[in-house]
Amino acid sequence: MAEISRRNNNNLYLHADGDSFFVSCELSVHPELKGLPVIVGADRGIAVAMSMEAKALGVTRGMPVFEIKKLFPEVIILTHHFDLYQDIAEKMCQILSSYFVAVEQYSIDECFALVDPSEIKYFGGEEKLMRELKKEIESTLGVTYSLGLARTKALSKLASKLEKPRGLVILRTEEDEIYALKSTPINDIWGIGHRTFPRLEKMGMKNAYDFVKFQDAFLSKNFSSSLINLKRELSGEQILEVESDHDPRDQKSIQSTRTFRPASNDPKVIWREIAENTESACKSARSILVVSNKISFFVKTSEFKYRFDEIKLPLFTSDPGIIMNEMEPRFMKLLKNREGIRSTGVILNNLTKIENIPLDLFGKQKGVLKKTDIEEVADIIRAKHGDHMIKRLSSVRKEAKERKK
């Protein structure tokens, strides 16, 4: 079963679209080429991605490399490095996961995220949230994305393309949506294929606004239901959802992150946050019956610098107590010069289904799994009474302990 976003009329949807993604990734490791006309595609013989400077010269997608060399000898032509692109794409998903609960990697250069009203409130509004996210992406990854925020998935994708590159568009009002719809040609609408848009053009539709206002009855009679659903999405009705994983038990890792304000340099506060991350990640692992033997944990400074460490366990587990006992002696190494820490995270790697765990001769693995029984009982209590009903002491906030006293 795919893990999907919660439909709620108050939710918003974010779309992040990489700007000339392959070229942008190459420039992140070759900053000396910034500002120059650069294309990627030497190994394919055609231009696959172009920098803005190359586009300004007249280079277009699909143009043969031999023709580019002849017409534009100043253009720098690079080959693909897919490992680099995938690495940056994965890090982008990690950043989004530190802000939002549900994140979908739609393609190597595109992501969707479900934005809960509480997340917007936490950052003090849509604009502040989007600007902080954009700042972190650019400072951490060295690439740029255009961001769109709207009340449906299709509208968010429309928004992200309005002001490329480095765009940041929020469709707050009906007037904003009408402007976006009228600014999007019919052949640029996500979900309308190259065989469909000529038919729509013949019916007098020039842009997305014309499409949204067209008669439902005629479209239903002559086109598939997916086109009707797209029309409803562009009209503001939430149909499409964020699919964060196609099969949760097949995922390679589980991540739990938390951003907190104000930033803190108090080791007790920071450790408490990591403890809460560990509990959350382990709870998710238990819910889908997987375990881990390799755990990464990190802190993120106020300057968006990450400090990572990793522990390897002799046995597989989803018990937060076992994991925290191993992490705690190494935790202080992540804190340097009393830097302000604004975010923490824990990642359970090398996930393995419980039924696939290799058992050892002396039964130690079985004993470790048995220790999670108490955690499973706690999960039942949390499900019935709320996540905060029962917690480990290390992750209980100071103010909560004072209240109980």
Side-chain angles (χ1 to χ4, degrees), residues 30-47:
H30 295 291
E32 71 277 7
L33 300 180
K34 289 184 178 179
L36 300 177
V38 178
I39 73 161
V40 170
D43 48 329
R44 291 195 177 181
I46 60 171

Side-chain angles (χ1 to χ4, degrees), residues 17-202:
D17 191 5
D19 299 323
S20 301
F21 185 67
F22 291 173
V23 168
S24 192
C25 292
E26 296 290 346
L27 297 182
S28 72
V29 294
H30 295 291
E32 71 277 7
L33 300 180
K34 289 184 178 179
L36 300 177
V38 178
I39 73 161
V40 170
D43 48 329
R44 291 195 177 181
I46 60 171
V48 176
M50 303 81 65
S51 67
M52 295 301 296
E53 293 79 10
K55 290 178 182 178
L57 288 176
V59 180
T60 57
R61 187 186 299 274
M63 183 179 286
V65 166
F66 75 86
E67 187 177 334
I68 296 171
K69 289 180 178 179
K70 182 179 177 181
L71 297 176
F72 312 106
E74 66 271 44
V75 170
I76 298 164
I77 304 171
L78 304 175
T79 59
H80 288 87
H81 295 92
F82 287 105
D83 288 348
L84 170 65
Y85 313 152
Q86 189 60 52
D87 180 60
I88 290 177
E90 289 174 1
K91 288 176 179 174
M92 174 62 175
C93 280
Q94 289 175 5
I95 289 174
L96 290 179
S97 296
S98 71
Y99 284 76
F100 313 111
V101 173
V103 175
E104 173 187 349
Q105 184 173 357
Y106 180 70
S107 66
I108 195 167
D109 61 342
E110 294 181 69
C111 296
F112 287 99
L114 177 72
V115 184
D116 189 91
S118 63
E119 292 158 346
I120 293 172
K121 183 178 179 181
Y122 175 80
F123 282 92
E126 297 100 331
E127 186 85 19
K128 290 183 178 179
L129 166 60
M130 296 280 276
R131 293 206 176 278
E132 183 149 348
L133 174 60
K134 190 172 184 62
K135 179 182 176 183
E136 179 165 357
I137 292 168
E138 294 180 5
S139 62
T140 303
L141 303 181
V143 301
T144 66
Y145 278 76
S146 292
L147 306 179
L149 187 70
R151 57 186 174 134
T152 72
K153 204 173 175 182
L155 283 171
S156 72
K157 188 165 172 69
L158 213 71
S160 68
K161 295 190 178 296
L162 286 180
E163 296 182 4
K164 270 186 160 291
R166 303 185 71 177
L168 193 163
V169 175
I170 303 171
L171 303 183
R172 289 190 178 91
T173 65
E174 185 179 351
E175 289 73 21
D176 292 338
E177 291 176 2
I178 290 173
Y179 171 78
L181 292 167
K182 288 184 175 180
S183 300
T184 304
I186 193 72
N187 60 317
D188 279 350
I189 300 175
W190 173 49
I192 294 182
H194 68 280
R195 293 183 179 180
T196 302
F197 86 78
R199 295 173 60 192
L200 300 179
E201 281 185 321
K202 286 182 180 178

Side-chain angles (χ1 to χ4, degrees), residues 323-375:
I323 293 171
M324 284 189 280
N325 285 341
E326 295 294 324
M327 288 195 302
E328 191 167 15
R330 304 169 68 156
F331 158 68
M332 289 300 295
K333 294 179 182 178
L334 301 183
L335 309 184
K336 298 183 178 180
N337 303 320
R338 301 205 42 97
E339 292 174 307
I341 301 300
R342 66 186 302 277
S343 183
T344 59
V346 170
I347 307 168
L348 307 184
N349 300 294
N350 194 29
L351 294 182
T352 302
K353 297 174 183 177
I354 286 179
E355 64 270 24
N356 294 338
I357 299 173
L359 298 178
D360 60 289
L361 183 63
F362 301 103
K364 291 182 179 180
Q365 179 64 76
K366 191 173 182 179
V368 167
L369 295 178
K370 187 71 177 173
K371 286 184 178 180
T372 62
D373 288 352
I374 190 169
E375 294 293 337

Side-chain angles (χ1 to χ4, degrees), residues 273-303:
E273 297 293 334
I274 287 182
E276 193 160 315
N277 294 145
T278 308
E279 278 201 84
S280 176
C282 287
K283 179 186 173 186
S284 297
R286 290 192 300 273
S287 72
I288 57 174
L289 303 177
V290 295
V291 286
S292 168
N293 68 346
K294 187 168 76 171
I295 294 88
S296 304
F297 57 106
F298 66 85
V299 298
K300 181 170 61 178
T301 73
S302 298
E303 302 301 319

